[in-house]
Amino acid sequence: MTDFTKIGAAVIGTGFIGTVHLEALRRMGVPVVGVLGSSPERGAERAAALGVKTFASLKDVLADPAVQVVHVTSPNVAHYPQVKQILAAGRHVICEKPLAMTSAQSAEMVQIAKASGKVAAVCYNIRFYPLNQQARGMVAAGELGDIRLISGQYHQDWLAKPTDWNWRLEADQGGTLRSVGDIGTHWVDLTSFIIGQKASAVFADLSTFVPVRQKPKGPVETFSTATGASEPREITTDDAALILLRFPNGAKGVMSTSQISHGRKNALTWEIAGSAASAAWAAENPDQLWIGHRDAPNQIMPRDASLMNALGAAAARLPGGHVEGFADTFRALFAQVYSDVAKGSRSADATYASFEDGHYEMQICDAVLTSAKEGRWVEIGG
Ligand code: SOE
C-alpha cells in the first residue's frame, strides 16, 4: 500500500468542490500544503476555515518544493492556462471536468501532458462509486451480453429559478455548453466507461428555459442561494439537453440533462440493456445495483466488497451496509492517482479518466453544439 504522507498537494479553488478535494486528501493522509482562492481575500478566509495555508498566486504554489500534485477546481475558463503552467513546472495534475473550454484547448492539453510524463487525471469522480466499477467489470466479463441500449439522465434543480446564479451560467466562464459540459459529460464519461466503448455520433436538442437571470453583485458558491443586490443577465447556455448517441458496435443511447428539474438534486441514472441481462443504477441511491433478468427474478446487488468483482471491491472502503457516497468517490479516485504519482506514471489497469478521456468529452460537446444548430447526426471528432 502506498504511503500517501510523502506526497504534498495544493488545491486551486476553495468552493464546494475544492473543499471536497481537500477533505478526501486529508482522509488519505496526503499533506495539503495549501490552497489558492479566487482572490487573496477569499483564499485567506477559506484557508482559515479549512485550517490550511493560503498561496497568493499559482506562481507561489509552483515555487513550493513540497507541492507535487496540484488539484484544479477553479472555474472552467482557468483550467487550460493553469494546467499548462502546472505541467510546465513538472507537477502532476488532477483537473476538474470539463477539462477545457474548447476541444482545441483539450487537444493541446493531451499533447502537453503526454510530453511532460506526469500523471494527468480528469476528475470524473462518478466512475468511482464502487457499483459503477462493478458494472464495468460485469460488462467486460460478458455478464450482460452484447450491449444494446443505454438510457438515463442527469437532472438537478439548483438552477431552476431566475434568481439562481453561478459562474457556470456565463459562457465566458463555463463554456458555450453548460448542462451538457457540467453534468452531461459526467453521464457520457460514466456510461462509456462502464460499457468500454465510446459513442461515435450524437443528435442533440438544447434548451434555455430561463433566458434572463438575476446576477448577484458578489460571488455565489455552487448549490447555494445568493442574497443582496443583483442585475439582469441574458443567458445563452443550456438549462437542459436531449441527446441521442450511436456506438460503433450498433448500440444506441438516449439521455437528458437538466439543471431546472424541481426536486432532482443530483440525480444521475443509467440503465443498460444487454443481450443477456440488464443493469441499472442511480446516484441518489448509490449503494444498490439493479440487475434485470428475463427468465429469473431480478436482483439487487449491495455495495459489499465480499460480493463484488475485483474492480468494485477495490473502490469500496467501508463494509456493506455502511453507506458510501459522493465524497468517498473522490477518495477512491485520488487513491488510484496518488498510487500512480508514487510510481511515476499511469498504471496500465488504472480506471481514472485520462486527459484523452477529457478531450473526448470536449469533442462530444462540439458535436452536440453542431447537431443542435444544424438538426442532424454529427460524428464525434469529425
Ligand atoms: C454542479 O452541477 C455540480 O457540482 C457539478 O459541477 C459536479 O460535477 C457534479 O458532480 C455535482 O454537481
Side-chain angles (χ1 to χ4, degrees), residues 10-304:
V11 179
I12 305 179
T14 55
F16 155 59
I17 286 290
T19 306
V20 170
H21 279 237
L22 187 142
E23 288 175 352
L25 293 171
R26 282 190 169 151
R27 276 181 69 192
M28 288 163 57
V30 171
V32 179
V33 182
V35 295
L36 175 64
S38 52
S39 67
E41 300 73 41
R42 189 161 151 79
E45 188 191 314
R46 292 291 300 147
L50 296 165
V52 73
K53 112 173 173 191
T54 179
F55 287 105
S57 66
L58 181 52
K59 214 168 142 223
D60 286 354
V61 174
L62 300 173
D64 190 327
V67 175
Q68 293 171 53
V69 185
V70 183
H71 292 239
V72 178
T73 78
S74 43
N76 304 344
V77 65
H79 292 182
Y80 168 76
Q82 289 177 341
V83 166
K84 277 195 359 179
Q85 259 182 280
I86 293 162
L87 289 171
R91 304 312 211 284
H92 307 279
V93 64
I94 300 181
C95 185
E96 266 301 333
K97 38 48 54 181
L99 180 57
M101 294 285 277
T102 65
S103 62
Q105 287 182 348
S106 56
E108 195 186 329
M109 289 158 93
V110 167
Q111 294 313 320
I112 294 172
K114 212 183 272 172
S116 75
K118 296 291 156 191
V119 174
V122 187
C123 205
Y124 279 115
N125 64 296
I126 305 178
R127 292 182 179 204
F128 282 85
Y129 282 98
L131 287 170
N132 284 330
Q133 299 272 327
Q134 162 78 19
R136 176 179 166 92
M138 288 171 67
V139 172
E143 290 171 36
L144 302 191
D146 296 331
I147 300 305
R148 292 171 169 170
L149 187 64
I150 305 113
S151 55
Q153 61 186 41
Y154 197 160
H155 290 182
Q156 303 176 327
D157 70 359
W158 67 290
L159 294 172
K161 298 182 187 175
T163 47
D164 293 328
W165 187 263
N166 183 262
W167 57 262
R168 289 176 180 81
L169 289 157
E170 293 189 303
D172 63 351
Q173 292 295 300
T176 316
L177 286 179
R178 188 227 319 152
S179 78
V180 175
D182 185 39
I183 53 177
T185 64
H186 262 306
W187 191 94
V188 173
D189 176 77
L190 174 63
T191 51
S192 20
F193 170 71
I194 293 171
I195 69 170
Q197 291 175 52
K198 284 182 160 45
S200 52
V202 295
F203 195 113
D205 180 72
L206 300 172
S207 300
T208 304
F209 291 109
V210 189
V212 177
R213 289 178 182 261
Q214 291 303 316
K215 180 177 181 176
K217 302 242 159 120
V220 188
E221 190 161 307
T222 309
F223 289 108
S224 63
T225 307
T227 49
S230 63
E231 56 200 10
R233 275 299 162 101
E234 266 183 42
I235 302 297
T236 57
T237 53
D238 48 299
D239 288 321
L242 312 175
I243 303 179
L244 300 177
L245 302 122
R246 279 184 187 152
F247 291 83
N249 73 339
K252 299 277 171 80
V254 54
M255 64 89 76
S256 56
T257 61
S258 163
Q259 295 185 311
I260 45 83
S261 292
H262 287 262
R264 295 294 179 204
K265 303 301 169 189
N266 199 34
L268 181 153
T269 63
W270 59 256
E271 178 168 312
I272 297 171
S275 57
S278 302
W281 179 85
E284 289 184 335
N285 184 18
D287 269 5
Q288 295 195 340
L289 180 69
W290 178 87
I291 304 168
H293 302 289
R294 157 77 179 264
D295 301 318
N298 297 333
Q299 297 169 300
I300 302 286
M301 169 173 273
R303 181 202 45 76
D304 181 336

